[in-house]
Amino acid sequence: MKVTNPQSSSVVMERTTGVATVSTAASKMETVYERVHHLANSNAVVLFSVSGCCMGHVAKQLLLGLGVGPTVVELDRETAGVEIHALLYRLAAGNDQQQPIPAIFVGGKFLGGIETLIACHINGTLVPLLKDAGALWL
């Protein structure tokens, strides 16, 4: 027996021998969310980008120039890269960001994209954020 959730066409429940198993895109997204959450909380600075992305390169160079060695995740080289990109797109949309890549997390929190990173650098709030996250020891 298969039951489809009318509110989400991606949710399917199969019943076999009295045991219900759920296979959904939502559960896969939860796993991706947990992975991104773990990466963001385990590292002072995490940069999600795509190899060859010029704005990702700018973000990396800005952080390296400040003395920060970010953890870089290149989505085109990740097995779950498409799903992570979709999650970052949803995060960026919630912050009125237009481009989800590159996406920067500082101290376990989503900072934003390249525009936010550069704006924080220009207005002087980036270095204190990096210090609070433990990325800088100045």
Side-chain angles (χ1 to χ4, degrees):
M1 177 173 124
K2 287 187 178 181
V3 178
T4 304
N5 183 342
Q7 296 176 347
S8 173
S9 61
S10 64
V11 178
V12 177
M13 180 179 282
E14 294 182 32
R15 188 175 186 114
T16 55
T17 64
V19 177
T21 52
V22 178
S23 60
T24 68
S27 66
K28 188 172 185 178
M29 190 58 85
E30 285 177 22
T31 304
V32 169
Y33 173 81
E34 290 168 3
R35 182 166 177 220
V36 170
H37 184 265
H38 175 72
L39 275 168
N41 286 319
S42 300
N43 299 284
V45 179
V46 181
L47 173 70
F48 290 92
S49 187
V50 178
S51 59
C53 172
C54 61
M55 290 297 111
H57 178 74
V58 168
K60 288 178 221 173
Q61 291 304 310
L62 173 58
L63 292 167
L64 290 171
L66 293 171
V68 175
T71 299
V72 178
V73 179
E74 293 184 341
L75 298 178
D76 56 331
R77 297 182 181 181
E78 290 288 320
T79 55
V82 173
E83 291 84 4
I84 294 172
H85 189 272
L87 175 66
L88 295 172
Y89 186 81
R90 288 179 31 205
L91 282 173
N95 287 351
D96 295 328
Q97 301 275 324
Q98 294 194 3
Q99 292 292 336
I101 302 297
I104 300 104
F105 287 79
V106 176
K109 297 177 185 169
F110 180 63
L111 179 66
I114 188 69
E115 299 91 0
T116 306
L117 181 69
I118 292 174
C120 288
H121 179 58
I122 290 170
N123 70 23
T125 59
L126 182 58
V127 170
L129 280 174
L130 295 170
K131 284 181 182 177
D132 290 344
L136 284 177
W137 297 277
L138 298 174

